[in-house]
Amino acid sequence: MSTTLFWVAAALGGFTFLVHTILGGVRVVRPLLASDLPQQLRGFLYLGWHSASVAIAAVMIGFVLAATDPARAEYALIASAMAASLMVTAIITALKL
């Protein structure tokens, strides 16, 4: 299998990670932490934010590993499954709001 698509997926994952951490940190996390929500809830939401950051990074790393070594193509399959499950979770959550 061509590694080009793995590199494209890794680049998109890296871009998503940067947008999530930089813009999201400024526009979502800072206001969240400064809000008057109960401390426990703010902590729980902050934990969720970091969990999403780790998941996005893991997807990106999976595609990088698959791109650098074609023998590790199964990492792309795992990264694809993770990305798909995150997308479905995000869509379902957005529809419920």
Side-chain angles (χ1 to χ4, degrees), residues 27-60:
R27 298 187 69 184
V28 177
V29 174
R30 286 184 188 167
L32 168 72
L33 295 176
S35 73
D36 59 352
L37 291 171
Q39 176 64 31
Q40 256 185 327
L41 181 56
R42 281 185 285 155
F44 184 72
L45 293 170
Y46 196 45
L47 171 66
W49 184 267
H50 286 301
S51 298
S53 299
V54 169
I56 295 167
V59 168
M60 179 190 64

Side-chain angles (χ1 to χ4, degrees), residues 1-77:
M1 177 175 272
S2 171
T3 60
T4 303
L5 290 178
F6 295 156
W7 281 118
V8 169
L12 289 171
F15 176 74
T16 302
F17 181 79
L18 288 175
V19 168
H20 174 80
T21 24
I22 295 170
L23 290 178
V26 172
R27 298 187 69 184
V28 177
V29 174
R30 286 184 188 167
L32 168 72
L33 295 176
S35 73
D36 59 352
L37 291 171
Q39 176 64 31
Q40 256 185 327
L41 181 56
R42 281 185 285 155
F44 184 72
L45 293 170
Y46 196 45
L47 171 66
W49 184 267
H50 286 301
S51 298
S53 299
V54 169
I56 295 167
V59 168
M60 179 190 64
I61 291 168
F63 284 118
V64 168
L65 290 173
T68 56
D69 183 2
R72 294 181 175 179
E74 67 274 4
Y75 286 113
L77 180 63

Side-chain angles (χ1 to χ4, degrees), residues 83-97:
S85 66
L86 290 169
M87 180 187 68
V88 168
T89 302
I91 290 170
I92 290 170
T93 302
L95 291 174
K96 288 186 175 186
L97 295 178

